[in-house]
Amino acid sequence: MKQKIGFMGLGVMGSPMAANILRAGYPVTVYNRSPQKGEELVKLGAKRASSPKLLVEEADVTIAMVTGPDALAELLWGPDGAAQAFDAHKVFINMSTVPPRFTGELRDKLLPTGVTFIDAPVSGSKKPAEDATLVILAGGRKEDVDTCKPLLETMGKKVVFCGEVGQGSMMKLAINLLLGVMMEGLCEVVNFGKSAGLTLDAMFEVVSNGPLNAALYQMKAASLRENDFPVNFPLKHMAKDLKFLVDTAYDLGAPVPVGQMLLHLYRIGVAQDWGDLDFAAIMKVLNHLNPKM
Amino acid sequence: MKQKIGFMGLGVMGSPMAANILRAGYPVTVYNRSPQKGEELVKLGAKRASSPKLLVEEADVTIAMVTGPDALAELLWGPDGAAQAFDAHKVFINMSTVPPRFTGELRDKLLPTGVTFIDAPVSGSKKPAEDATLVILAGGRKEDVDTCKPLLETMGKKVVFCGEVGQGSMMKLAINLLLGVMMEGLCEVVNFGKSAGLTLDAMFEVVSNGPLNAALYQMKAASLRENDFPVNFPLKHMAKDLKFLVDTAYDLGAPVPVGQMLLHLYRIGVAQDWGDLDFAAIMKVLNHLNPKM
Amino acid sequence: MKQKIGFMGLGVMGSPMAANILRAGYPVTVYNRSPQKGEELVKLGAKRASSPKLLVEEADVTIAMVTGPDALAELLWGPDGAAQAFDAHKVFINMSTVPPRFTGELRDKLLPTGVTFIDAPVSGSKKPAEDATLVILAGGRKEDVDTCKPLLETMGKKVVFCGEVGQGSMMKLAINLLLGVMMEGLCEVVNFGKSAGLTLDAMFEVVSNGPLNAALYQMKAASLRENDFPVNFPLKHMAKDLKFLVDTAYDLGAPVPVGQMLLHLYRIGVAQDWGDLDFAAIMKVLNHLNPKM
Amino acid sequence: MKQKIGFMGLGVMGSPMAANILRAGYPVTVYNRSPQKGEELVKLGAKRASSPKLLVEEADVTIAMVTGPDALAELLWGPDGAAQAFDAHKVFINMSTVPPRFTGELRDKLLPTGVTFIDAPVSGSKKPAEDATLVILAGGRKEDVDTCKPLLETMGKKVVFCGEVGQGSMMKLAINLLLGVMMEGLCEVVNFGKSAGLTLDAMFEVVSNGPLNAALYQMKAASLRENDFPVNFPLKHMAKDLKFLVDTAYDLGAPVPVGQMLLHLYRIGVAQDWGDLDFAAIMKVLNHLNPKM
C-alpha cells in the first residue's frame, strides 16, 4: 500500500510537484499558508489540512517545498508547527533550497523528534516541475533515500543519491558554480567576439553545432541577442550562492580561483543594481568594463 | 561541372577530409611532403602531384590542412611552392589552424598573386573529420565563401560564415576560450565537490541530466574518473591559445578576467611538465593547489 | 590628578605597555590570569588585583590587551569578571585585536553597564610596545578618545582617531590588506626577477634607494635571502584577516580584486602546512607554482 | 684624464643629467634633434655636434637619453647616425627606457661595430635627475660597468649592477611591477576604507607612521585626497609595462597572479579613457566598480 503524503508549500514549484504525486496514485494531503492556493490539487483528489501539525498527523511522509529557510522554519516551529507531530515512524523530506549549514542545523534540531530526515533540493525550475523531469539531489541515509525513491521519482526523471543529510544542499551549491562558470564564460566569449567583429549569430551557430553545446546556452540566446534579461534565476541569488560556495571552499581548502573571480564580477553586478535581473545579465558587467561595446 | 580540387596535407585530419571530397564526386589531386601517405586516396581515385606548384596548376581550388604556420609556409613558399602557381582564376582555402595574425600576413602576401583566399579552420577532430561532421569556420568575401559552400559541406555538417579573411581564425580562438572555461569549470567543481565529500559519479549524474550537460563533459568523464589524461588536445596548446586570446583581448580592450585566470592556471600546468597531457589535466593543477586531494 | 589605571593581560605586548603607563606616572593595578607574570611591573610600582572585578573596582580606566575574543570574553564575563564592576563613571579600553563584528557585539553587551567603551587596537609589535612607538587605532566617541589621549600616548607615538566604536578594528583590517599586498607584491617581484636572472641583492638595492622603499621590506630581507621564515605574524593569521576583509568588502560592495587573489594565495599556503611560518612565506607559495625556482 | 662624453637627447631628463656630468668636470659634447635645446649646457661649457655621427667621433663614451625605441633608432641608424662612428675603442650607454627585447636587438645590431654597449635605464624622474639622485640600473659586462661607474655616479646616487646587457631593462620592468602593486594596493585599501566609513586622513596617518610607509604614498596623497591625477607616469604606460611584464613572466614560467590582475585593472582604465592621467588614477577604476563611492 502506498505511503500517505503530506505536502507543504504550493507555489510555482510545489503545486505541479504535488500534482505529479497525486497522479501517481498516492493519497496526498496539502497545506499552504495562504489557503486560496491548492484548489486544483483538491480537484485532483488532495485533502487539505488546516495546519502543518495536522498535516503531519495525517501523513507517513511530509514534504516541504517553500522559498527558503525562513518560510521553512515558520512551517516547522511556528504555531501548530509540523515539528510538534514528527516522530520515529514518520519521514520528513525538505525539497526547498537552503544552505548546507542550515540543513545541518535542521538535522540537529529534528534529531530529538526521531523523524527520518531527507535533504532533497532539486535541479530544474517550473517547466521540469510540471513535466516531472526534475533532477532530485538527495542526502540522507542510503536506505531511507532508497525507500523514498519511488515517491521522489513521481516528481523527477532522476534521483541522485548525494551522501548523508546536507550533501543534497552541497551538491546544489557545486552545480551552481558550474552554472555560473558556463554563463559567465559564454558572456566573456560573446563580449570578446563582438569586440573582434564576430556576430552573435555566428558564434551561436558554432557553439550549437559542437561539443560545447548545452541546453543552458540555448535558453539564454534570446537574452543575449536582445540585451534583455527577464529573470529566471536572479543575479543576486547567484552572487549569494557563489559567496556561500567560496566560503565553503575556503573552509575546505579547495581552490576555486575562477569561482572567486565570478564572485567579484557578480558582486559588481549587484552593486550596479542589476541584482533583480536574470543571472545572464553578467553580460552587462562585462560591457560595463568595456565601454566600446 | 565540379571544381577540380587540390588537397595538400594528408595527416590525421587531411586524409579523411580529402576522402570525403572524393566521395562527393569531385576530381581530387593530392600532395603530401612524405609521399608514403595518400595510398588509400589514390585507391579512391585521387591523382598525385609531385610538388605543390604542380598541384595548384591542376586545380581550381587548392585546400591546405597542415599542422601549423611553418608547414604551411613551406608548402606555399618553399621550393616549387604553391604560391608560384596562384592566379586570379584560382581559389586557396587554408583549413589549417593558425593564429589570426598569421592569417592577416598570409592575406597580404597572397594579394599580389590575385588568388581568392578563404580562411576556414575547423572545429572538431579525427572522428568528425571521418564522419564529415566538422564545423567549418569560414572567413573571406561572402560570395567566395558561398561559392565554396557545397565543397566545404562535403567535409562538415555546418559551414559558419565568420566575416572577412582572418575571422575564421578569430572564431576558432573565441571558441577555444569557451572550451577552456568549461573544462576548467568542470574540474573546479569536481575538485571542490570531492573536497566536500561528493562523489564524481553523483556529480556527473546531476550534470548529465540537466541543462549544463555538454558532449565535452561526457568525452572527459573517463579521464577525470581515472586521473589519466591521454592527449586529444594538448594542455600546452590550450595555454598557447589562451595566451594569444588574452593578447588579442588586450589589444581590443575586451575584458577577459576568467580567461586571464585560466591562462595563469594552464601556464602552471605547463611549468609542472603536464603540457603534453590532454588539456583536461588542468585537474592536476587544481589538485596541486589542494594537497588534501 | 591622573586617572587610576587597571591593566589586564601581561603578555608580550601588555607588559611593556603597562610599564610605559607606570613610567608616565599613572597609578596602575594589574591583573593576569596566570599570576606568575607581572613581577617586574610590581617592582615598578604596580599593585595587583586578584580578579578582573576587583581590578575594575580600583580603576577609573580599565585596559585589556589579550590574545583574542575568547580570552577577552573570559576576563569580562567569566567568574568575578570585569563587566560586573563596570558603571557609568568608568572607562574600558580594549586594545586586543578582535574582528570588527566582535567589537560591535561587545559594544552592545556593555551598553547596559553604562561604561564608556573605546576600541583601540595597535599597529606594531613587541619592539614598538617596549619603545612606546606603537600606532594606536582608536574608535569611540571623539570626546572620550580625546580624554584618554594622554594616557594612550604613554604607549605609542601616535593616536589615530578612526571613528565610532568598531572603526579601530576596521582600520586594523584595512591596514592589514596593505600589509598583505606589499608583502606578496615584493615576493612576486623577487620570484619573477630571479626567474629572469636578477639577483635578490640587486633588487633590494634598487628598492632600498627609491620611492618604493618601506621599513617592512628591510625587515623581511633576511627571510627572503635565506628562504627561512621565523614567525613574526603567522601566515595563517594573514589568511584569516584577509578572509574577514574580503567578507566585509563583499557586504559593503567594495571591490577588492587583489585582496581576493591574495586570499587565494595565502589559503594555498595554509593548505600546504605553512600557516605557522611568517606571512612572508607567501614566497613559498609562488615558488610552489613555479617549479623551476 | 677624464673621458670625453657625447650626450644625445636633451629633454626633461637628459638636460639635467648632462649638466651634472659637466659639473663633475667631464668634457661634454651634446646633440639634440631640435637644436634650440641645449643653450644652458653650452653656457656651462658644452660643445655642440651637428650630427650624431660627428658627436660620436668626438667622444670616448656616448650616452643616449631619449623617449623610446623609435627616437633611439633614429639617432643610431638615421642619416649621419651614431652607429656609423662606433668602433671597438668607444663605449655606448643607453639610458633611455626601452623594452628588454629591444635592448637584445640593439646588442645584436651593435655587435659588428665593436662598440662596448651598456644598458642603463634609470629609476627616478625630473627632480632626482636634477639633484643627481637617480638610481641607475646598469646591464653589461661587469668590468665595463665598473669603468663607467664614476661617470654614472655624477648623475645618480646609486649604480646597481644588474647583470649582462638587457638586465638593466629587465630590472626596470620588475621594479615597475612593485610600483603598480603598491599604487593599486593603496587605492584598494583607501576605496575599501572609505566604503567602511574610515577617512582618507586617518588612513594616511596610520600608514605614514608605520612600517608600510613609502615615499611613493606621500607623493600620491594629494591626488587621492583631491581625486585629481596630474600626470607624472601615465596610466597607459603602466598598462603597457605590465603587459610586457606579464608576457615576459609567461615566457619564463614565473607566476604573476597579482600582476595579471593589475593588468586587467589598468587596461580597464585605458578603455575608460583615463590613460593620459597619472597611474594613481587606478583609483578611478576601483570607484567605477563600486558605484556607491
Side-chain angles (χ1 to χ4, degrees):
Chain A
M1 215 190 84
K2 295 207 163 172
Q3 300 146 301
K4 286 177 286 173
I5 309 303
F7 202 106
M8 309 190 287
L10 304 175
V12 175
M13 296 294 287
S15 281
M17 288 163 71
N20 284 323
I21 301 174
L22 273 166
R23 285 189 199 105
Y26 287 84
V28 178
T29 306
V30 299
Y31 173 81
N32 197 69
R33 208 167 42 135
S34 45
Q36 54 273 45
K37 288 190 179 171
E39 278 310 301
E40 286 181 43
L41 294 167
V42 170
K43 283 179 197 155
L44 283 170
K47 289 172 58 185
R48 257 186 205 286
S50 60
S51 79
K53 184 173 173 238
L54 291 170
L55 177 119
V56 173
E57 285 171 359
E58 295 286 309
D60 300 312
V61 180
T62 302
I63 296 174
M65 186 65 183
V66 292
T67 52
D70 292 345
L72 185 57
E74 173 72 16
L75 286 178
L76 292 172
W77 296 290
D80 292 312
Q84 293 179 32
F86 285 153
D87 65 38
H89 303 290
K90 294 183 185 291
V91 175
F92 171 54
I93 307 179
N94 177 38
M95 303 188 76
S96 326
T97 292
V98 296
R101 194 173 302 174
F102 182 85
T103 299
E105 292 165 8
L106 206 53
R107 179 198 52 206
D108 293 347
K109 287 180 79 170
L110 293 175
L111 202 60
T113 69
V115 74
T116 294
F117 176 35
I118 293 174
D119 158 43
V122 304
S123 173
S125 52
K126 193 179 174 225
K127 191 71 174 32
E130 290 168 353
D131 301 346
T133 56
L134 293 167
V135 178
I136 297 169
L137 318 175
R141 284 197 314 167
K142 184 79 174 73
E143 56 269 38
D144 295 338
V145 172
D146 284 345
T147 305
C148 291
K149 212 168 170 185
L151 168 62
L152 293 169
E153 284 173 344
T154 66
M155 293 174 276
K157 66 176 169 185
K158 196 86 198 172
V159 176
V160 180
F161 177 68
C162 300
E164 60 183 18
V165 158
Q167 293 300 76
S169 308
M170 190 62 92
M171 179 66 86
K172 177 124 201 203
L173 204 59
I175 295 306
N176 271 1
L177 172 57
L178 192 58
L179 180 64
V181 170
M182 288 177 66
M183 192 70 246
E184 197 279 343
L186 181 69
C187 290
E188 196 166 311
V189 167
V190 167
N191 179 72
F192 166 81
K194 284 168 105 174
S195 292
L198 300 172
T199 67
L200 188 103
D201 285 344
M203 288 185 271
F204 262 92
E205 217 177 332
V206 178
V207 170
S208 301
N209 284 284
L212 306 187
N213 193 30
L216 173 73
Y217 296 155
Q218 302 307 319
M219 288 154 60
K220 300 301 178 185
S223 274
L224 297 188
R225 189 166 287 118
E226 291 151 33
N227 197 33
D228 181 33
F229 301 95
V231 68
N232 190 296
F233 179 47
L235 189 145
K236 70 184 175 192
H237 288 184
M238 179 53 89
K240 186 169 60 74
D241 283 7
L242 287 170
K243 181 66 173 67
F244 198 78
L245 179 125
V246 166
D247 287 352
T248 305
Y250 179 84
D251 291 343
L252 295 168
V256 285
V258 169
Q260 271 192 309
M261 182 61 84
L262 294 181
L263 179 57
H264 170 67
L265 295 168
Y266 278 97
R267 186 62 182 83
I268 292 173
V270 174
Q272 297 287 340
D273 271 329
W274 299 326
D276 290 319
L277 299 180
D278 190 62
F279 79 113
I282 192 68
M283 182 54 114
K284 291 173 77 76
V285 174
L286 294 167
N287 289 170
H288 181 62
L289 303 182
N290 182 12
K292 305 276 161 57
M293 295 303 291
Chain B
M1 215 190 85
K2 296 207 162 170
Q3 300 147 300
K4 287 178 283 173
I5 310 301
F7 202 105
M8 309 190 287
L10 305 175
V12 175
M13 296 293 290
S15 281
M17 288 163 71
N20 283 322
I21 301 173
L22 272 166
R23 285 188 201 106
Y26 287 84
V28 177
T29 305
V30 299
Y31 172 80
N32 197 69
R33 210 169 41 138
S34 45
Q36 56 273 43
K37 288 190 180 172
E39 278 311 303
E40 287 182 43
L41 293 167
V42 171
K43 283 180 198 155
L44 282 170
K47 289 172 57 184
R48 256 187 205 286
S50 60
S51 79
K53 184 173 171 239
L54 291 171
L55 177 117
V56 173
E57 285 170 359
E58 294 286 311
D60 299 313
V61 179
T62 302
I63 297 175
M65 186 64 184
V66 292
T67 52
D70 292 345
L72 185 56
E74 173 71 17
L75 286 178
L76 291 172
W77 297 290
D80 291 313
Q84 295 179 30
F86 284 153
D87 65 37
H89 303 290
K90 296 186 183 289
V91 175
F92 172 53
I93 308 179
N94 176 39
M95 302 188 76
S96 327
T97 292
V98 295
R101 195 175 301 175
F102 181 85
T103 299
E105 293 165 10
L106 206 54
R107 179 199 52 209
D108 295 346
K109 287 181 79 171
L110 293 175
L111 203 60
T113 70
V115 74
T116 294
F117 177 35
I118 293 174
D119 157 45
V122 305
S123 173
S125 53
K126 192 179 174 227
K127 191 71 173 32
E130 291 168 354
D131 301 346
T133 56
L134 294 167
V135 177
I136 296 169
L137 317 175
R141 283 196 314 166
K142 184 79 173 73
E143 56 269 39
D144 296 338
V145 172
D146 284 345
T147 305
C148 293
K149 213 168 168 183
L151 168 63
L152 293 169
E153 283 173 345
T154 67
M155 294 174 275
K157 65 176 169 187
K158 195 85 198 172
V159 176
V160 180
F161 177 69
C162 299
E164 61 182 18
V165 159
Q167 294 299 77
S169 309
M170 190 63 90
M171 178 66 86
K172 177 125 199 201
L173 203 61
I175 295 305
N176 271 2
L177 172 57
L178 192 58
L179 180 64
V181 170
M182 287 176 67
M183 192 69 246
E184 196 280 344
L186 182 69
C187 291
E188 194 165 314
V189 166
V190 166
N191 179 71
F192 166 82
K194 284 167 106 174
S195 292
L198 300 172
T199 67
L200 187 103
D201 285 343
M203 288 185 271
F204 262 92
E205 217 177 332
V206 178
V207 171
S208 301
N209 284 284
L212 306 187
N213 193 30
L216 173 73
Y217 296 155
Q218 301 308 318
M219 288 154 61
K220 300 301 178 187
S223 274
L224 298 187
R225 190 167 286 119
E226 291 150 34
N227 198 30
D228 181 31
F229 301 95
V231 69
N232 189 297
F233 179 48
L235 189 145
K236 68 184 174 192
H237 288 183
M238 179 53 88
K240 186 170 59 75
D241 283 7
L242 286 170
K243 180 67 172 66
F244 198 78
L245 179 124
V246 166
D247 287 353
T248 305
Y250 179 83
D251 290 343
L252 294 169
V256 285
V258 168
Q260 271 192 310
M261 182 61 85
L262 295 182
L263 179 56
H264 170 68
L265 295 168
Y266 278 97
R267 186 62 184 84
I268 291 173
V270 174
Q272 297 288 338
D273 271 327
W274 299 326
D276 290 319
L277 299 180
D278 191 63
F279 79 113
I282 192 69
M283 183 53 115
K284 291 174 76 76
V285 174
L286 293 168
N287 289 171
H288 180 64
L289 304 182
N290 183 12
K292 305 276 162 55
M293 294 302 291
Chain C
M1 214 190 86
K2 296 207 161 171
Q3 299 146 302
K4 286 178 285 175
I5 309 304
F7 202 106
M8 310 190 287
L10 304 175
V12 175
M13 296 294 287
S15 281
M17 288 163 72
N20 283 323
I21 302 174
L22 273 166
R23 284 188 201 105
Y26 287 83
V28 177
T29 306
V30 299
Y31 171 81
N32 197 69
R33 209 168 43 136
S34 45
Q36 55 274 46
K37 288 191 180 171
E39 278 311 299
E40 286 181 43
L41 293 167
V42 171
K43 283 180 197 154
L44 283 170
K47 288 170 59 182
R48 255 187 206 288
S50 59
S51 79
K53 182 171 173 244
L54 290 170
L55 177 118
V56 173
E57 285 171 358
E58 294 286 308
D60 299 314
V61 180
T62 302
I63 295 174
M65 185 65 183
V66 292
T67 52
D70 292 345
L72 185 57
E74 173 72 17
L75 285 178
L76 292 171
W77 297 290
D80 292 312
Q84 295 179 31
F86 284 152
D87 66 36
H89 303 290
K90 294 185 185 292
V91 175
F92 171 53
I93 308 179
N94 177 38
M95 302 187 76
S96 326
T97 293
V98 295
R101 195 174 301 176
F102 182 85
T103 299
E105 293 165 8
L106 206 54
R107 179 198 53 208
D108 294 347
K109 288 180 79 170
L110 292 175
L111 202 61
T113 70
V115 73
T116 295
F117 176 35
I118 292 174
D119 158 44
V122 304
S123 172
S125 53
K126 193 177 173 226
K127 191 71 171 33
E130 291 168 354
D131 301 347
T133 56
L134 294 166
V135 176
I136 296 168
L137 316 175
R141 284 197 313 168
K142 184 80 174 73
E143 56 268 39
D144 295 339
V145 173
D146 284 346
T147 305
C148 292
K149 212 168 169 185
L151 167 63
L152 293 170
E153 283 174 344
T154 66
M155 293 174 276
K157 65 177 169 184
K158 195 84 196 173
V159 176
V160 179
F161 177 69
C162 299
E164 60 182 19
V165 159
Q167 295 298 76
S169 309
M170 190 62 90
M171 178 67 86
K172 178 126 200 201
L173 203 61
I175 295 305
N176 271 2
L177 172 57
L178 192 58
L179 180 64
V181 171
M182 287 176 67
M183 192 69 246
E184 197 279 344
L186 181 69
C187 291
E188 195 165 312
V189 167
V190 166
N191 179 71
F192 166 82
K194 284 168 105 174
S195 292
L198 300 172
T199 68
L200 188 104
D201 285 344
M203 288 185 271
F204 262 92
E205 217 177 332
V206 178
V207 171
S208 301
N209 284 283
L212 306 187
N213 192 30
L216 173 72
Y217 295 154
Q218 302 307 319
M219 288 154 61
K220 301 300 178 186
S223 274
L224 298 188
R225 190 166 286 116
E226 291 150 33
N227 198 32
D228 181 33
F229 301 95
V231 69
N232 188 294
F233 179 49
L235 189 145
K236 70 184 174 192
H237 288 184
M238 178 54 89
K240 187 169 58 75
D241 283 7
L242 286 169
K243 181 67 172 64
F244 198 78
L245 179 125
V246 166
D247 287 351
T248 306
Y250 179 82
D251 291 342
L252 294 168
V256 285
V258 169
Q260 270 191 309
M261 182 60 85
L262 295 182
L263 179 55
H264 170 68
L265 296 168
Y266 278 98
R267 186 62 184 84
I268 292 172
V270 173
Q272 297 287 340
D273 271 328
W274 299 326
D276 291 318
L277 299 180
D278 190 63
F279 78 112
I282 192 69
M283 182 54 114
K284 292 173 78 76
V285 174
L286 293 168
N287 289 171
H288 181 62
L289 304 181
N290 182 11
K292 306 274 162 56
M293 295 303 291
Chain D
M1 214 189 87
K2 295 207 162 170
Q3 300 146 301
K4 285 179 284 173
I5 310 303
F7 202 105
M8 309 191 287
L10 304 176
V12 175
M13 296 294 288
S15 281
M17 288 163 70
N20 283 323
I21 301 174
L22 272 167
R23 284 188 201 106
Y26 288 84
V28 177
T29 305
V30 298
Y31 172 80
N32 197 69
R33 209 171 38 140
S34 45
Q36 55 274 43
K37 288 191 179 171
E39 278 311 301
E40 286 182 42
L41 293 167
V42 171
K43 283 180 197 153
L44 283 170
K47 288 171 59 184
R48 255 188 206 287
S50 59
S51 79
K53 182 172 174 240
L54 291 171
L55 178 119
V56 173
E57 285 171 358
E58 294 286 309
D60 298 313
V61 179
T62 302
I63 297 174
M65 185 65 183
V66 291
T67 51
D70 293 344
L72 186 57
E74 172 72 17
L75 285 177
L76 291 172
W77 296 291
D80 292 312
Q84 294 179 30
F86 283 153
D87 65 36
H89 302 291
K90 295 184 184 292
V91 175
F92 172 53
I93 308 178
N94 177 38
M95 304 187 75
S96 326
T97 292
V98 295
R101 194 173 302 175
F102 182 85
T103 298
E105 293 165 8
L106 206 54
R107 179 199 52 208
D108 294 347
K109 287 180 79 170
L110 292 175
L111 203 60
T113 69
V115 74
T116 295
F117 176 35
I118 293 174
D119 157 45
V122 304
S123 173
S125 53
K126 193 179 173 223
K127 191 70 173 33
E130 292 168 351
D131 301 347
T133 56
L134 295 166
V135 177
I136 295 169
L137 317 175
R141 285 198 312 167
K142 184 80 172 73
E143 55 269 38
D144 296 339
V145 172
D146 284 345
T147 305
C148 292
K149 212 169 171 184
L151 168 63
L152 293 169
E153 283 174 344
T154 66
M155 292 174 277
K157 65 178 170 186
K158 196 85 198 172
V159 176
V160 180
F161 177 69
C162 299
E164 60 182 20
V165 159
Q167 294 298 77
S169 309
M170 190 62 90
M171 179 66 86
K172 177 127 198 200
L173 205 60
I175 295 305
N176 271 2
L177 172 56
L178 192 58
L179 180 64
V181 171
M182 288 176 68
M183 191 70 246
E184 197 278 346
L186 181 70
C187 291
E188 196 165 314
V189 167
V190 166
N191 179 72
F192 167 81
K194 285 167 105 173
S195 293
L198 300 172
T199 66
L200 187 106
D201 285 345
M203 288 186 271
F204 262 92
E205 216 177 333
V206 178
V207 171
S208 302
N209 284 283
L212 306 187
N213 194 31
L216 173 72
Y217 295 155
Q218 302 308 318
M219 287 155 61
K220 300 301 179 186
S223 274
L224 297 188
R225 190 166 285 117
E226 290 151 33
N227 198 32
D228 181 32
F229 301 96
V231 69
N232 189 295
F233 178 48
L235 189 144
K236 68 184 174 192
H237 288 184
M238 178 54 89
K240 186 169 58 75
D241 283 8
L242 286 170
K243 181 66 172 66
F244 198 80
L245 179 125
V246 166
D247 287 352
T248 305
Y250 179 83
D251 291 342
L252 294 168
V256 285
V258 169
Q260 270 192 309
M261 182 61 84
L262 294 182
L263 178 56
H264 170 68
L265 296 169
Y266 278 97
R267 186 62 183 83
I268 292 173
V270 173
Q272 297 287 339
D273 271 328
W274 299 326
D276 290 318
L277 299 179
D278 191 64
F279 78 113
I282 193 67
M283 183 52 116
K284 291 173 77 77
V285 174
L286 294 168
N287 289 170
H288 181 63
L289 304 181
N290 182 12
K292 305 277 162 55
M293 294 303 292

